[in-house]
Amino acid sequence: MGIAEGTAQLNTGALIPLIGLGTVTRNLNDEEIKAAVTTSLQVGYRHFDTASFYGTEHALGEALNSAFRSGIVNREDVFVTSKLGNTEHDDPIAAIKNSLKSLQLEYVDLYLIHWPVKMRTRILFSQPKEEDFLPLDIKSTWQGMEQCMETGLTKAIGVSNFSSKKIEDLLSYAKIPPAVDQVEMHPLWQQKKLRECCSKHNIHVSAWSPLGAPNNPWGSNVVIDNPLIQEIAEKHGKTRAQVILRWGVEQGVSVLPKSFNAGRIAENFQIFDWSLTLDDHGKISKLKQGKISTGQKFVNSTTSPYKTIEELWDGEI
C-alpha cells in the first residue's frame, strides 16, 4: 500500500487505486467511452469513476463486463465508483440498484452522495429553476447510504463536494463514517483545510478534475497552462499533466483524470516511477489559489439551502 504500489487504504480496509479514469462527458457516444475504458484497462488502470448523472454507467459496464469475459481482469481487480444523483436522495437503495443494473455489476466498490443538494428534476449543465430545489436532509440520505452498504450493494460509502463543516456534521450522526470525500483538487485549489479535516478522521480524499478540466465548459486551462507547472515538467522531462497528477498522489490523494484520447490515457498513467522534488513542492505550495467549479448554480436566495456561495462551501472558497 502506498504510492509505490499505486494504492491507498480506506477506513474500510479496502485498497483504492491512486489513479482512476473519470468518465463525465457531454458529447461522446457509448462506443467511444467503451474504447477509452478498454484502452485504460490495457494500460493498467483499475479504478473507474462514474455517476448516474454522467450517463456513462452503461458504457462503462459494457466495457468492464467484456473485459471480465475475456479474462483481461476479474471483477475483484477493479475499483468502481458511482454516485447518488441530486434527484435520488429519497431512495438511495433504489438509486444504487438502477446504477448496478446499468453497470451490469452486483456491487460497486464506492458509492458517493454526488452533491449536498436535493433537486426535483435532473439538471445536466443548465441553471436550475427556483422550483427545482427541494428541502435537504443529509441525515436521512446518509441513513439510506448506510443501508446500501449494509445490504452489500456497495463496499464503501462516501461523499462528494462536502466542506470540512459538512464532514464534521455528518460524522456527528453517522453510524458508518464516510470513506471518501471526492472534491475538486489540483495545484491551484489544494484543499489544505479539507485534507487536514479528512486526515484527522481517516477519510480519503479523491480529486475530480485534477487537471482543472481543460477544454471543458465546466473547467479551465489555467492549471495545465500554469507557467510553474510547465517549468517543472520541462525539468523532469514529463508532460504537464504528469506533473499535476504526480503532485496529487504525493499528497496522498487519488486522482481521476478524464481523457478519451488513447495517448493521453497512457501518458497520465506514467506517474509512479519518478518523484517531484522538495523544491517543486515548495514552489507549488505557494501558487495563488482559486476554485474553478464553484457550484454557483446550486445557490439562490429563495429555495436553495445555500443563499450564497460561501454557504455552499462553508467559507472554504
Side-chain angles (χ1 to χ4, degrees):
M1 163 180 85
I3 294 178
E5 295 77 26
T7 60
Q9 188 172 47
L10 300 181
N11 58 22
T12 61
L15 298 180
I16 183 170
L18 287 174
I19 187 166
L21 184 75
T23 63
V24 60
T25 181
R26 291 187 74 173
N27 52 13
L28 291 186
N29 62 43
D30 278 10
E31 293 307 313
E32 291 171 304
I33 296 165
K34 286 191 283 186
V37 173
T38 300
T39 296
S40 300
L41 287 166
Q42 293 167 345
V43 166
Y45 287 74
R46 294 296 181 265
H47 181 177
F48 298 90
D49 182 81
T50 186
S52 61
F53 170 78
Y54 298 164
T56 56
E57 289 175 323
H58 177 75
L60 173 60
E62 286 281 317
L64 289 177
N65 277 276
S66 176
F68 300 156
R69 289 191 298 270
S70 61
I72 295 173
V73 289
N74 297 318
R75 171 63 185 96
E76 57 268 25
D77 297 326
V78 296
F79 190 101
V80 179
T81 299
S82 194
K83 306 179 191 77
L84 179 80
N86 298 339
T87 61
E88 299 173 318
H89 281 233
D90 282 337
D91 196 345
I93 289 278
I96 195 172
K97 285 181 177 179
N98 286 335
S99 288
L100 291 172
K101 183 178 180 180
S102 295
L103 287 162
Q104 301 172 54
L105 298 176
E106 293 183 357
Y107 66 90
V108 289
D109 297 273
L110 178 63
Y111 196 53
L112 307 176
I113 297 176
H114 204 156
W115 282 89
V117 177
K118 183 177 178 181
M119 309 293 289
R120 189 184 309 279
T121 52
R122 188 168 178 260
I123 307 296
L124 293 177
F125 298 99
S126 57
Q127 181 70 32
K129 300 180 178 68
E130 287 187 343
E131 59 267 27
D132 291 326
F133 289 87
L134 291 171
L136 181 66
D137 182 359
I138 290 293
K139 184 175 183 179
S140 174
T141 300
W142 191 250
Q143 289 171 345
M145 298 290 285
E146 290 173 329
Q147 290 171 10
C148 291
M149 187 168 172
E150 290 165 349
T151 53
L153 299 175
T154 181
K155 300 292 187 183
I157 51 177
V159 295
S160 183
N161 303 302
F162 271 48
S163 67
S164 301
K165 181 181 183 301
K166 288 180 176 62
I167 290 284
E168 296 281 1
D169 289 346
L170 175 57
L171 289 170
S172 72
Y173 52 76
K175 289 192 300 179
I176 302 173
V180 170
D181 190 4
Q182 188 186 116
V183 295
E184 178 186 345
M185 181 184 155
H186 44 70
L188 299 188
W189 191 243
Q190 297 180 19
Q191 295 275 20
K192 291 178 182 177
K193 179 180 179 181
L194 178 70
R195 287 191 284 129
E196 287 173 5
C197 171
C198 288
S199 177
K200 180 175 71 173
H201 295 295
N202 195 21
I203 298 169
H204 177 76
V205 174
S206 192
W208 58 257
S209 291
L211 304 176
N215 305 314
N216 285 289
W218 61 87
S220 169
N221 286 29
V222 294
V223 183
I224 204 86
D225 289 343
N226 182 271
L228 176 63
I229 299 299
Q230 179 66 42
E231 174 189 316
I232 294 172
E234 290 174 357
K235 181 180 77 172
H236 288 281
K238 302 297 180 182
T239 68
R240 291 169 293 171
Q242 287 169 336
V243 167
I244 295 165
L245 297 173
R246 178 68 195 188
W247 174 84
V249 300
E250 288 190 11
Q251 308 304 307
V253 167
S254 55
V255 291
L256 303 168
K258 175 189 72 70
S259 181
F260 298 99
N261 175 284
R264 285 195 292 273
I265 287 170
E267 283 180 353
N268 289 347
F269 196 75
Q270 304 306 312
I271 59 172
F272 295 107
D273 60 351
W274 62 282
S275 301
L276 295 171
T277 66
L278 288 175
D279 183 59
D280 296 333
H281 280 286
K283 290 178 178 177
I284 290 172
S285 71
K286 296 174 183 174
L287 286 171
K288 183 179 179 181
Q289 298 295 286
K291 187 165 175 50
I292 294 172
S293 182
T294 63
Q296 180 66 48
K297 69 179 182 180
F298 295 129
V299 172
N300 72 43
S301 61
T302 53
T303 56
S304 170
Y306 313 110
K307 310 310 179 191
T308 66
I309 201 71
E310 288 75 20
E311 286 186 12
L312 175 59
W313 300 108
D314 298 299
E316 293 175 28
I317 191 165

